[in-house]
Amino acid sequence: MAKTIGLIGYPIRYSISPYFQQAALDYYNLDVCYDAWEVRPKDLEVTVSQLRDFQYLGANVTIPYKESVIPLLDELDEWATMVGAVNTIVRNKNRLVGFNTDSYGFLEALYQDGNFDPEDKRVVILGAGGAASAVSFALAQKKVKSITVINRTLGRAQKLVGRLEHFIASQAIVSGRSAIKLNALPWQVLSSHETLSYCHLLVNCTAMGTRYGSLEGDFPLGSDVIPAGIMVYDLVYNPPLTPLLQQAQEAGASILGGLPMLVYQGAASLQLWTGADAPVSFMMGKAKEALQSLP
Ligand code: NAP
């Protein structure tokens, strides 16, 4: 009997994960279907609990459920526990185990596609949700010099910084000989030239600029406040050149979009469900093809 892997999110109409994940499963001739499930908040609990059935290998979890899915699972691996967000569920007998492969995908793309080593660098992160958490914990582990979290809801940025502080202390992480500096700031600071003046890497972890989304065409800050020479990394993958990346390019910054991260995190999830080494370049090709075929 064919097995199933689900993608749980809302909305997910324009997600390209089903396309490149199914292609990878077919590449290995696995009798597995990767299905997109648009799940309304009231149906989340029932949908997750169905994954305990023998038919399912697990699921991917995307916006907006990466944090709210946690209480519905039986177990979390160590990294997902630290990060506080789950993007992959694996069924182990009748137990559901949560993982976070976003951190891995983010770093892999940063090193491989951005050619950027974050050690000892000053980083500014926009957003304080599940993606921002995965990104900031990954960067802390790589010993950046400082992390500034800027979010529309300041309290959420402060909470993330508090959790980072605890993580850094518990792991005894230092950058060079000093402690990693952490800061939470309100969204309004983005209009100031000062905010990014010492920054090496800016990461957008909000959905701003996403094609077909409610924030399509928007960007968090303009070319006038982006210093030339920094790296601007937008987790949004559609469009490939987001409004923020256009501003960054105009300012003379280096740019990296969200597509490689999407593929690397997906490849890591595939490995967790099937045990097979994911055909990463093949998946990357299929992801690009899928993006081009969207209306
Ligand atoms: P989330 O948990 O819902 O967090 C969304 C964040 O965006 C929050 O910090 C929120 O601020 C902020 N935000 C929402 N509307 C805003 C607005 N109008 N102005 C300013 N800030 C706003 O979502 P998530 O899971 O972290 O995902 C964030 C983005 O990353 C999504 O676009 C997702 O597709 C992308 N992502 C990409 C990859 C990839 O592989 N490329 C992986 C993961 C995520 P408040 O706290 O104030 O609400």
Side-chain angles (χ1 to χ4, degrees):
M1 182 185 164
K3 300 276 190 197
T4 303
I5 296 166
L7 168 64
I8 297 173
Y10 186 84
I12 47 167
R13 199 167 149 213
Y14 296 109
S15 170
I16 62 167
S17 292
Y19 191 85
F20 70 79
Q21 289 287 16
Q22 189 62 57
L25 292 161
D26 295 345
Y27 180 93
Y28 283 123
N29 286 319
L30 297 171
D31 194 9
V32 181
C33 288
Y34 187 99
D35 286 345
W37 301 330
E38 192 147 87
V39 178
R40 291 182 183 274
K42 67 175 178 48
D43 300 324
L44 181 66
E45 191 169 347
V46 172
T47 306
V48 171
S49 110
Q50 277 168 358
L51 291 172
R52 290 193 176 78
D53 190 278
F54 177 71
Q55 178 195 344
Y56 298 102
L57 294 183
N60 267 144
V61 182
T62 186
I63 195 166
Y65 299 128
K66 288 183 182 180
E67 290 156 306
S68 53
V69 77
I70 290 176
L72 307 176
L73 304 177
D74 302 304
E75 229 176 282
L76 293 191
D77 91 321
E78 204 184 342
W79 185 252
T81 307
M82 305 262 211
V83 169
V86 161
N87 76 329
T88 307
I89 302 172
V90 177
R91 182 182 62 79
N92 182 0
K93 301 203 173 97
N94 67 344
R95 291 177 68 73
L96 298 179
V97 188
F99 295 85
N100 187 305
T101 65
D102 278 338
S103 301
Y104 163 80
F106 167 80
L107 285 177
E108 191 69 6
L110 185 63
Y111 286 110
Q112 302 299 334
D113 300 77
N115 201 19
F116 186 97
D117 180 353
E119 185 168 344
D120 214 26
K121 304 291 194 307
R122 284 182 283 265
V123 185
V124 172
I125 291 175
L126 308 181
S133 188
V135 164
S136 54
F137 275 71
L139 288 169
Q141 209 187 32
K142 292 295 170 192
K143 303 179 178 178
V144 292
K145 193 190 258 314
S146 69
I147 300 176
T148 302
V149 180
I150 299 176
N151 195 44
R152 183 179 60 172
T153 309
L154 179 60
R156 213 171 166 198
Q158 288 166 331
K159 259 195 194 154
L160 174 53
V161 162
R163 289 198 297 114
L164 276 170
E165 218 157 28
H166 179 74
F167 169 67
I168 289 165
S170 70
Q171 306 286 307
I173 301 171
V174 287
S175 171
R177 266 188 258 147
S178 38
I180 298 177
K181 289 198 184 70
L182 300 171
N183 205 0
L185 295 175
W187 198 249
Q188 291 76 348
V189 300
L190 287 179
S191 53
S192 156
H193 286 86
E194 312 284 292
T195 307
L196 297 187
S197 54
Y198 295 104
C199 161
H200 299 105
L201 170 67
L202 170 72
V203 190
N204 175 39
C205 301
T206 76
M208 213 171 250
T210 306
R211 183 171 281 159
Y212 313 120
S214 58
L215 302 172
E216 177 165 9
D218 279 3
F219 50 89
L221 70 177
S223 56
D224 56 325
V225 292
I226 301 176
I230 73 165
M231 164 68 83
V232 177
Y233 186 168
D234 198 339
L235 264 47
V236 172
Y237 66 83
N238 190 14
L241 188 63
T242 64
L244 172 62
L245 295 183
Q246 283 178 33
Q247 295 295 317
Q249 230 173 22
E250 230 172 81
S254 304
I255 60 167
L256 180 61
L259 191 71
M261 171 178 174
L262 183 79
V263 172
Y264 296 133
Q265 62 79 33
S269 302
L270 189 83
Q271 208 156 358
L272 286 168
W273 296 312
T274 66
D277 274 346
V280 181
S281 343
F282 175 75
M283 291 167 83
M284 193 73 77
K286 288 291 170 188
K288 287 180 182 159
E289 212 174 275
L291 251 190
Q292 277 164 6
S293 69
L294 285 175

